[in-house]
């Protein structure tokens, strides 16, 4: 025991230093998050302030027009009164005739109101940010509510487990401890996925192993997904098949009314009809600069993001078939060739190039059988880890399905690469 006291004190000091560094890093990250949120808040409020200023300027202009009209009417009134006091009948008739020729048009007063689309866009952006923060912090709240195993308990179990494994060969004097089998299985799952831990989580592991040949391991409280197994694969296939057999009426219970995010639209993408219709203009729209805006590809994302649950939406191909329909992570690049839908690991899409249909993900293309369709249904199952694209009709025809494990919130995504292409989101 005396021999172990010094290594333990050294390790304790190392752990304190590591914890201090990690706290500083975490504080830095949260400070950056706060700055980003404040910047987003300021930009959103500026949008509203600019719109308020625009409307106020219109009011000022109309106030000036009405003032000029008032002066004009006052002048006309003075001339009429002067004519009425004229004693010479001939001169009176001349003045009366001249007054009749004067224009008496009413002042044009246009309807003045704030652009509700801009207000809605700003408000929806704030709502989306709030929901994203809620989703990001939900696992921590759930863990506290469920009373998950603490870090200290996991570390003690790891030490006891490694001691049991080593005691039979290297050190027969170490007392064996009985360990809960469930804990053992959990620890084996974690250790089997050790390479996935963030860099820097276990700064003291090598030092601790040098002091303890039995191999004490420190674990971070990061959720780890269970390793896939054949039974799960079969159940996943059955789940996908069950949705493919559903009628449109059954799928509509998962309907999501999608609107387009103005702040992501490329300068040549025109949004209309309450942000549900998109087309391409040959003339740039001069949108405001925004970090989320696409700069190289004529693309736009939906406002809504999905992290959990089942969601279904439909897109109508109104003109031409030179477009892509898909989903992507919010972290997908907005600049450069990697910002193209399906050309990176953060997006999945079906692409129409006239009569050619292809699926794209991670810059890998797969040519698909030609399916004639004017309306496309997209079914996203977040927990199931798949997205299905289908031709909407009396009977849905499968176009393609992607199966993967989603790790971030997903956004509907659209790409129009022809000036004649028009897509509309169906409000269900």
């Amino acid at each position: 025991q005396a021999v172990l006291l010094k290594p333990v004190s050294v390790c304790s000091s190392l752990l304190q230093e590591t914890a201090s560094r990690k706290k500083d890093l975490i504080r830095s990250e949260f400070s950056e998050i706060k700055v980003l949120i404040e910047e987003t808040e300021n930009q959103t409020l500026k949008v509203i302030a600019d719109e308020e200023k625009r409307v106020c300027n219109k009011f000022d202009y109309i106030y000036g027009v009405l003032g000029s009209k008032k002066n004009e009417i006052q002048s006309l009134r003075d001339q009429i009164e002067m004519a009425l006091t004229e004693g010479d009948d001939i001169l009176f008739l001349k003045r009366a005739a001249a007054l009749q020729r004067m224009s008496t048009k009413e002042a044009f007063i246009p309807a003045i109101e704030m652009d509700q689309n801009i207000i809605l866009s700003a408000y929806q952006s704030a709502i989306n940010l709030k929901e994203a923060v809620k989703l990001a912090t939900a696992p921590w709240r759930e863990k506290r509510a469920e009373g998950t195993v603490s870090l200290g308990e996991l570390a003690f179990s790891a030490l006891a487990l490694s001691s049991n494994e080593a005691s039979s060969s290297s050190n027969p004097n170490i007392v064996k401890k009985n360990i809960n089998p469930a804990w053992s299985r959990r620890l084996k799952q974690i250790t089997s996925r050790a390479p996935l831990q963030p860099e820097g989580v276990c700064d003291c592991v090598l030092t601790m192993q040098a002091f303890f040949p039995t191999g004490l391991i420190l674990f971070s409280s990061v959720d780890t997904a269970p390793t896939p197994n054949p039974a799960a694969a079969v159940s996943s296939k059955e789940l996908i098949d069950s949705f493919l057999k559903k009628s449109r009426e059954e799928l509509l219970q998962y309907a999501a009314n999608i609107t387009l995010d103005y702040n992501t639209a490329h300068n040549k993408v025109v949004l209309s009809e309450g942000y549900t219709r998109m087309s391409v203009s040959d003339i740039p729209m001069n949108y405001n600069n925004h970090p989320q805006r696409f700069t190289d590809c004529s693309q736009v994302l939906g406002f809504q993001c999905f992290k959990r649950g089942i969601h279904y939406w439909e897109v109508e191909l109104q003109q031409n078939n030179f477009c892509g329909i898909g989903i992507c992570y919010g972290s997908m690049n907005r600049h450069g060739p990697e910002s193209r839908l399906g050309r990176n690991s953060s997006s999945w899409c079906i692409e129409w190039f006239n009569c050619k249909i292809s699926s794209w993900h991670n810059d890998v293309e797969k040519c698909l059988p030609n399916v004639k369709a004017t309306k496309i249904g997209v079914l996203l199952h977040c927990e199931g880890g798949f997205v299905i694209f289908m031709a909407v009709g009396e009977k849905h025809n499968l176009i393609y399905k992607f199966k993967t494990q989603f790790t971030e919130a997903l956004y509907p995504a659209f790409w129009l690469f022809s000036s004649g292409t028009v897509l509309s989101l169906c409000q269900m």
Side-chain angles (χ1 to χ4, degrees):
Q1 292 179 352
V3 175
L4 292 176
L5 286 178
K6 186 175 180 180
V8 167
S9 63
V10 173
C11 292
S12 175
S13 176
L14 289 172
L15 284 174
Q16 290 176 357
E17 292 176 4
T18 302
S20 177
R21 290 200 305 272
K22 298 309 175 189
K23 288 178 181 178
D24 291 339
L25 289 173
I26 290 173
R27 288 192 187 97
S28 175
E29 294 295 332
F30 274 100
S31 296
E32 186 174 350
I33 291 172
K34 292 175 184 177
V35 170
L36 291 173
I37 291 177
E38 290 175 357
E39 181 181 351
T40 303
E41 178 186 5
N42 292 335
Q43 289 177 348
T44 305
L45 293 176
K46 184 178 182 301
V47 169
I48 304 298
D50 290 344
E51 180 63 12
E52 179 187 10
K53 182 179 179 181
R54 181 187 69 83
V55 175
C56 288
N57 288 339
K58 276 195 172 183
F59 276 118
D60 292 340
Y61 170 76
I62 290 178
Y63 182 81
V65 171
L66 293 177
S68 299
K69 195 67 177 178
K70 177 184 176 182
N71 295 334
E72 180 184 337
I73 293 173
Q74 184 65 43
S75 174
L76 182 61
R77 179 181 176 181
D78 293 342
Q79 293 182 47
I80 293 173
E81 290 179 349
M82 186 178 296
L84 290 174
T85 58
E86 182 61 54
D88 188 340
D89 293 341
I90 301 298
L91 190 56
F92 170 76
L93 292 174
K94 287 182 178 180
R95 288 187 175 181
L99 288 172
Q100 286 180 344
R101 289 194 295 269
M102 293 184 65
S103 173
T104 57
K105 291 182 180 180
E106 294 183 359
F108 172 69
I109 304 177
I112 302 176
E113 60 180 8
M114 296 183 72
D115 190 334
Q116 295 303 315
N117 288 331
I118 292 178
I119 304 300
L120 174 63
S121 172
Y123 182 70
Q124 189 64 51
S125 296
I127 293 295
N128 288 344
L129 179 59
K130 181 181 74 173
E131 293 301 321
V133 173
K134 282 185 177 180
L135 287 173
T137 57
W140 297 96
R141 296 195 300 270
E142 292 172 0
K143 285 178 183 178
R144 288 199 299 268
E146 295 171 0
T148 52
V149 179
S150 67
L151 177 62
E153 290 172 328
L154 283 176
F156 176 78
S157 298
L159 176 59
L161 177 62
S162 57
S163 298
N164 283 341
E165 292 175 349
S167 60
S168 59
S169 57
S170 61
N171 194 346
N173 295 324
I174 295 179
V175 180
K176 295 183 179 181
K177 298 180 181 291
N178 294 324
I179 299 177
N180 188 319
W183 281 33
S184 298
R185 288 193 298 271
R186 175 62 173 161
L187 290 170
K188 288 179 181 178
Q189 287 179 359
I190 296 175
T191 53
S192 66
R193 295 174 58 84
L196 297 179
Q197 294 179 7
E199 182 179 355
V201 169
C202 300
D203 289 348
C204 296
V205 170
L206 295 178
T207 305
M208 296 293 284
Q209 287 178 340
F211 286 127
F212 295 95
T214 54
L216 174 62
I217 302 175
L218 301 179
F219 297 96
S220 64
S221 56
V222 178
D223 282 343
T224 55
T227 55
N229 57 73
V234 172
S235 63
S236 176
K237 183 179 184 303
E238 292 176 349
L239 181 62
I240 294 175
D241 291 341
S242 68
F243 278 96
L244 291 175
K245 294 176 183 178
K246 291 182 182 293
S247 64
R248 182 172 182 270
E249 287 71 21
E250 292 174 308
L251 293 176
L252 286 179
Q253 65 179 307
Y254 309 109
N257 286 325
I258 307 298
T259 53
L260 301 169
D261 187 352
Y262 163 86
N263 290 326
T264 65
H266 183 270
N267 272 328
K268 287 192 175 182
V269 175
V270 181
L271 307 181
S272 57
E273 296 183 7
Y275 293 92
T276 61
R277 185 178 186 270
M278 64 205 93
S279 57
V280 179
S281 171
D282 293 329
I283 303 174
M285 303 302 295
N286 294 323
Y287 291 139
N288 296 330
N289 291 331
H290 195 279
Q292 297 300 316
R293 193 175 304 286
F294 288 102
T295 59
D296 293 83
C297 299
S298 50
Q299 300 177 152
V300 61
L301 302 185
F303 265 129
Q304 293 72 13
C305 67
F306 306 111
K307 180 69 174 178
R308 298 177 182 173
I310 307 167
H311 310 278
Y312 175 77
W313 61 92
E314 294 178 348
V315 186
E316 187 173 356
L317 307 176
Q318 289 193 337
Q319 294 181 24
N320 289 349
N321 291 344
F322 293 91
C323 61
I325 299 174
I327 58 174
C328 73
Y329 293 146
S331 60
M332 187 176 80
N333 288 336
R334 300 296 196 268
H335 318 287
E338 290 188 357
S339 64
R340 294 171 61 187
L341 196 59
R343 272 60 172 188
N344 50 64
S345 60
S346 301
S347 60
W348 300 257
C349 81
I350 303 298
E351 187 176 290
W352 284 261
F353 192 84
N354 201 5
C355 295
K356 178 187 175 184
I357 304 179
S358 306
S359 68
W360 282 90
H361 172 61
N362 207 14
D363 205 21
V364 176
E365 179 185 18
K366 181 178 180 181
C367 294
L368 306 175
N370 192 0
V371 177
K372 293 183 179 180
T374 58
K375 187 179 291 185
I376 307 302
V378 183
L379 178 73
L380 171 64
H381 196 309
C382 297
E383 286 82 3
F386 62 84
V387 58
I388 300 173
F389 298 87
M390 57 191 80
V392 177
E394 293 183 2
K395 182 180 180 182
H396 283 25
N397 293 319
L398 174 66
I399 298 177
Y400 195 72
K401 62 178 181 291
F402 291 98
K403 180 72 177 72
T404 186
Q405 192 65 39
F406 299 122
T407 58
E408 299 179 31
L410 294 156
Y411 291 79
F414 310 92
W415 180 21
L416 302 87
F417 45 90
S418 170
S419 59
T421 302
V422 178
L423 296 178
S424 287
L425 295 166
C426 302
Q427 300 302 297
M428 298 175 292

